C-alpha cells in the first residue's frame, strides 16, 4: 500500500508541477546495475560463473591441452567483446556529456505556447553533449574545430532537442552541401591525413570555391575554435526556428546559451601541446567541475523576429551562414541551464544519446531555413546506422512522458504493447490521435507559393558583409590570433594554388588582414581590396564582451610549485584560500613523494611531479618561498620552463618570499620586476610579495581590482583569464617556452 500511495503522490506531483530533474534519474533506475562485492559474476542469461580467468580446456598437472568450444561462458565473453563497438558518428564523434536541469525564470507566453518556455514552475531534466566535429572518437579535445553543443530536454510534452554549436553560423546554406563540406574537412582520401584538423589543402580549397563559407571560417579561425572549457563556451541553435503562441501568431526565433563563467579560450601554443600532453583535457575539465560541485550554468535566451519583419533586413533571416546582429535583434534571456551530474556509464549514455533537430514540442516549429530542412531528415536518418530503428527506446533517449503509438517490431524492440490491434482506425477506438486541446502538435498553416527550382533568393547570394562585420568587431588581440591561425592553417597547405587563392579571398574581407597573412604564408602580396570594408561593428561578437557574471576563480586549476624546504605558512594560506574560492589547488613537486617544509615538521605529498604534469594543464601558477625550495627549483630546468611557459601563455603567476626573485630571474625581462618588501607588486599579471608574515594572507579574499592584499591581487589576475597586455606589448614572444 505504501508503494502505491507513493507512486500516486508522485504522479499527482508530476501532473501539477511538470517533470522534475529527478524524473529522468528515476527512469534510469530500472536499467541501472550496481557493481558491489556482494554481487556475483553471471552470464548474460543469469547463470553464475565460477571463473573469469580460464577457458574450459583439457589439462593435466604438467600439460595444457586444447580449449573446448563447448564452454558457453568463454564463448559468450568473447562474442560480446567482439561486438562491443557500434559505428561512430560521421561528425561529432568525439564528445562528452552531463545531466542537469533547465529552469525558466521568465515566461515567453507572448510568443509561444510551448509549456517548457511558459511554465516558470517547471524544472526540466536535460542531458547535454559537447563535441568536436571533424575528429574521430579517439582524437584530441583541444584541436581547432567547431564544438557541438546539443541539449536534450525531457519535457512533459515530449523530448525537445536543441542541436547546436558554439558558433552561431555554419559553412553552408543548403543541406545538400553537407557531404561536400565534411568530406573537404575530414582527412584527405588518399592517405587519411590529417586527423581532426582543417589545416590541409582540401579544406581550404573548399573554403575558397564555396564562398558562402567565408563568414563561418572567420569564426572557426577565431578564439572560438579553441575553447578553454566546454563550460566556457556559448551555445547557439544555429538554425532559424519558429515559435507559435496561443493566439496562433508565428514568430521566427534563434536560441542562445551564454555561460555564467564567461567565454574563454586557450592560446594556440597551449592547445597544440595539450593535444599531446592531455588529449582528454575538456572531458576531464567538465567531469572535475561537476564532481567538485562547481556546476556549470548558462543563461538561455531567444532572439525573436515577427513574421511582419521577416524581410526588413539586408540579409535573409533563414540563412544559416548569417547571424542576427544583436543591435538589430536583442537576445531576451528567459531561463537557465545547469549541469550537475556526471554520467554513470559513458557508452549507454553519452555515446548512445541521439539528437534530432526535428524533435520539437507544441509551440515550437520549423522555418524554411534550407539547412534546417535537411538536418531534420539527416539527424533522424543517421541514428539508424548507429543504433537501429528502436533507438528512441534506449534509456538515454526515451522521454519521461508517456509514449503510445502503433510503431512495432524491429531489431532490439523493448516495448511490450498489450492489445489485439496495431493500427488506426480500429474498432476499439484505441489510442486515437490527440486533439489540439489535448496537447497535440499542430503545424502552423503557412501559405506557400513559388516555383519548383534549384535556386536561392537574392539575399542568400551575398557572402561577405557579415564576415567583415565579424572581423571589424574583434579586439586587437583577437585579430592577432586570427591572423596567426590563418597563417598556421595555410602554412600546412602545400599547394600554392590553395594558399594563394585564400589570400585573395581575404581581400574580400579586409586588405590589412590579407596582407598580414600573405606576408607569413607566401603568395602574391595583395595591393588592393577586392571590395571595400564597410567598417560596421556589432555587439556580442567579441569574446571580450563575455568576461563572466562576476570575477571568480571557481573551478580554475591553480598549480603550487614546491620542493623540500618550502614556506609552509604561505603554502597553507594559499592552499586554503584557493580551496575556499572553489578553485582546484594542484601541488606540483620535484617528486611525488613526501616533501618537507622549511619548519622540518610540516609536509605534503604532491598531486604530481614536474615531469609528469605541465603548466598547460592549469590556469595559474603559485610559488611559495622557502630558501632551500627556491634553490632547488632554480637549478631545475623543468621548474624554470613551468614559469616561462605559464608566462608565455599569459597566465597569472603569483610568488611570495624568495620565490619572487626566482620568478623575476626565470622570466628575465626588464618589464617584470618583483617585490622585495612586504608590499604587493603586480606586473603584467605577475603578482609578488617579497616579505611574508602570517598577516600577509587574509582569511576572506575579496576579488577586486586594485586591492592591497597579495591573494586579492593574485585571484583578480586569475579571474581575468589571461593577461592580454603581456601579448599586446610583445612580452610573451621574447622568452622561449
Amino acid at each position: 500500500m505504501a508503494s502505491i500511495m507513493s507512486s500516486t503522490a508522485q504522479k499527482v506531483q508530476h501532473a501539477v508541477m511538470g517533470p522534475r530533474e529527478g524524473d529522468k534519474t528515476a527512469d534510469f533506475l530500472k536499467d541501472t546495475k550496481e557493481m558491489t562485492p556482494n554481487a556475483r559474476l553471471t552470464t548474460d542469461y543469469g547463470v553464475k560463473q565460477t571463473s573469469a580467468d580460464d577457458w574450459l580446456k583439457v589439462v593435466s598437472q604438467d600439460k595444457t591441452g586444447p580449449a573446448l568450444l563447448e564452454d558457453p561462458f568463454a564463448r559468450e565473453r568473447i562474442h560480446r567483446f567482439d561486438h562491443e563497438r557500434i559505428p561512430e558518428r560521421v561528425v561529432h564523434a568525439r564528445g562528452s556529456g552531463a545531466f542537469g536541469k533547465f529552469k525558466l525564470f521568465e515566461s515567453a507566453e507572448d510568443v509561444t505556447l510551448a509549456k517548457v518556455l511558459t511554465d516558470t514552475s517547471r524544472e526540466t531534466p536535460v542531458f547535454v553533449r559537447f563535441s568536436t566535429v571533424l575528429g574521430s572518437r579517439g582524437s584530441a579535445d583541444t584541436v581547432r574545430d567547431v564544438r557541438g553543443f546539443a541539449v536534450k530536454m525531457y519535457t512533459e510534452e515530449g523530448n525537445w532537442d536543441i542541436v547546436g554549436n558554439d558558433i552561431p553560423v555554419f559553412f553552408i546554406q543548403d543541406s545538400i552541401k553537407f557531404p561536400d563540406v565534411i568530406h573537404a574537412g575530414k582527412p584527405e582520401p588518399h592517405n587519411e591525413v590529417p586527423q581532426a584538423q582543417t589545416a590541409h589543402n582540401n579544406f581550404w580549397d573548399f573554403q575558397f570555391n564555396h564562398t558562402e563559407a567565408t563568414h563561418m571560417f572567420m569564426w572557426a579561425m577565431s578564439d572560438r575554435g579553441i575553447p578553454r572549457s566546454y563550460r566556457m563556451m556559448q551555445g547557439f541553435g544555429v538554425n532559424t526556428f519558429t515559435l507559435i503562441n496561443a493566439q496562433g501568431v508565428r514568430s521566427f526565433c534563434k536560441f542562445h546559451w551564454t555561460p555564467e563563467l564567461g567565454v574563454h579560450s586557450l592560446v594556440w601554443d597551449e592547445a597544440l601541446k595539450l593535444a599531446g600532453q592531455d588529449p582528454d583535457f575538456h572531458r576531464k575539465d567538465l567531469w572535475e567541475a561537476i564532481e567538485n560541485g562547481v556546476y556549470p550554468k548558462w543563461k538561455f535566451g531567444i532572439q525573436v523576429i515577427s513574421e511582419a519583419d521577416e524581410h526588413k533586413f539586408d540579409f535573409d533571416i533563414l540563412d544559416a551562414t548569417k547571424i542576427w546582429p544583436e543591435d538589430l535583434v536583442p537576445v531576451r534571456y528567459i531561463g537557465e541551464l545547469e549541469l550537475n551530474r556526471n554520467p554513470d556509464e559513458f557508452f549507454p549514455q553519452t555515446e548512445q544519446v541521439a539528437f534530432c533537430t526535428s524533435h520539437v514540442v507544441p509551440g515550437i516549429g520549423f522555418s524554411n531555413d534550407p539547412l534546417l530542412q535537411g538536418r531534420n531528415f539527416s539527424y533522424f536518418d543517421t541514428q539508424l546506422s548507429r543504433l537501429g530503428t528502436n533507438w528512441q527506446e534506449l534509456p538515454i533517449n526515451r522521454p519521461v512522458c508517456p509514449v503510445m503509438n502503433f510503431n512495432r517490431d524491429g531489431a532490439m524492440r523493448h516495448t511490450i504493447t498489450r492489445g489485439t490491434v496495431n493500427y488506426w482506425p480500429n474498432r476499439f477506438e484505441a489510442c486515437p490521435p490527440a486533439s489540439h486541446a489535448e496537447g497535440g502538435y499542430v503545424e502552423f498553416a503557412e501559405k506557400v507559393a513559388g516555383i519548383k527550382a534549384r535556386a536561392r533568393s537574392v539575399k542568400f547570394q551575398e557572402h561577405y558583409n557579415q564576415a567583415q562585420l565579424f572581423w571589424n568587431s574583434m579586439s586587437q588581440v583577437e585579430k592577432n590570433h586570427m591572423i596567426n591561425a590563418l597563417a598556421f592553417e595555410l602554412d600546412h597547405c602545400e599547394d600554392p594554388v590553395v594558399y594563394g587563392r585564400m589570400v585573395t579571398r581575404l581581400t574580400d574581407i579586409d586588405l590589412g588582414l590579407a596582407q598580414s597573412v600573405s606576408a607569413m604564408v607566401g603568395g602574391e602580396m595583395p595591393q588592393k581590396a577586392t571590395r571595400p570594408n564597410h567598417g560596421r561593428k556589432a555587439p556580442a561578437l567579441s569574446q571580450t564582451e563575455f568576461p563572466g557574471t562576476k570575477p571568480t576563480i571557481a573551478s580554475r586549476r591553480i598549480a603550487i610549485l614546491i620542493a623540500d624546504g618550502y614556506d609552509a605558512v604561505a603554502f597553507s594560506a594559499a592552499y586554503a584560500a584557493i580551496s575556499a574560492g572553489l578553485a582546484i589547488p594542484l601541488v606540483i613537486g620535484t617528486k611525488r613523494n613526501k616533501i618537507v617544509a622549511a619548519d622540518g615538521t610540516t609536509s605534503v605529498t604532491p598531486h604530481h611531479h614536474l615531469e609528469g604534469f605541465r603548466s598547460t594543464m592549469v590556469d595559474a601558477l603559485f610559488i611559495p618561498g622557502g630558501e632551500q625550495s627556491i634553490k632547488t627549483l632554480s637549478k631545475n630546468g623543468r621548474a624554470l620552463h613551468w614559469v616561462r611557459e605559464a608566462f608565455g601563455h599569459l597566465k597569472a603567476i603569483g610568488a611570495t618570499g624568495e620565490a619572487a626573485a626566482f620568478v623575476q630571474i626565470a622570466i628575465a625581462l626588464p618589464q617584470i620586476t618583483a617585490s622585495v618588501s612586504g608590499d604587493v607588486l603586480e606586473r603584467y599579471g605577475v603578482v609578488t610579495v617579497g616579505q611574508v608574515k602570517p598577516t600577509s594572507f587574509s582569511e576572506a579574499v575579496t576579488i577586486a581590482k586594485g586591492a592591497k592584499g597579495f591573494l586579492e591581487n593574485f585571484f583578480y589576475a586569475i579571474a581575468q583569464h589571461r593577461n592580454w597586455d603581456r601579448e599586446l606589448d610583445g612580452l610573451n614572444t621574447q622568452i622561449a617556452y
Side-chain angles (χ1 to χ4, degrees), residues 80-116:
R80 286 303 307 272
F81 176 73
D82 287 346
H83 297 277
E84 282 181 355
R85 295 291 168 263
I86 62 173
E88 69 174 35
R89 292 166 170 85
V90 176
V91 287
H92 298 277
R94 172 78 177 179
S96 190
F99 293 95
K101 60 184 178 182
F102 174 75
K103 187 78 170 68
L104 199 67
F105 52 72
E106 177 193 318
S107 173
E109 63 185 351
D110 56 316
V111 292
T112 182
L113 56 82
K115 292 181 180 179
V116 67

Side-chain angles (χ1 to χ4, degrees), residues 419-489:
T420 60
V421 294
N422 56 1
Y423 53 89
W424 176 263
N426 60 68
R427 62 190 181 278
F428 304 110
E429 297 188 358
C431 197
S435 67
H436 180 50
E438 292 173 316
Y441 189 96
V442 178
E443 284 74 18
F444 179 78
E446 178 185 10
K447 182 179 179 180
V448 179
I451 59 171
K452 190 192 309 186
R454 297 186 185 276
R456 301 181 193 184
S457 62
V458 173
K459 288 183 181 178
F460 268 77
Q461 297 171 38
E462 194 290 307
H463 302 148
Y464 304 110
N465 283 345
Q466 290 204 355
Q468 291 182 348
L469 185 75
F470 183 71
W471 170 255
N472 296 343
S473 302
M474 294 298 99
S475 67
Q476 189 57 53
V477 165
E478 291 169 309
K479 287 182 176 180
N480 293 343
H481 292 176
M482 292 175 71
I483 291 168
N484 290 335
L486 285 160
F488 178 93
E489 296 272 319

Side-chain angles (χ1 to χ4, degrees), residues 39-59:
R40 291 296 176 265
L41 189 68
T42 75
T43 63
D44 279 348
Y45 54 94
V47 176
K48 291 179 181 176
Q49 291 185 243
T50 56
S51 173
D53 302 313
D54 294 294
W55 197 300
L56 186 66
K57 59 180 76 74
V58 178
V59 295

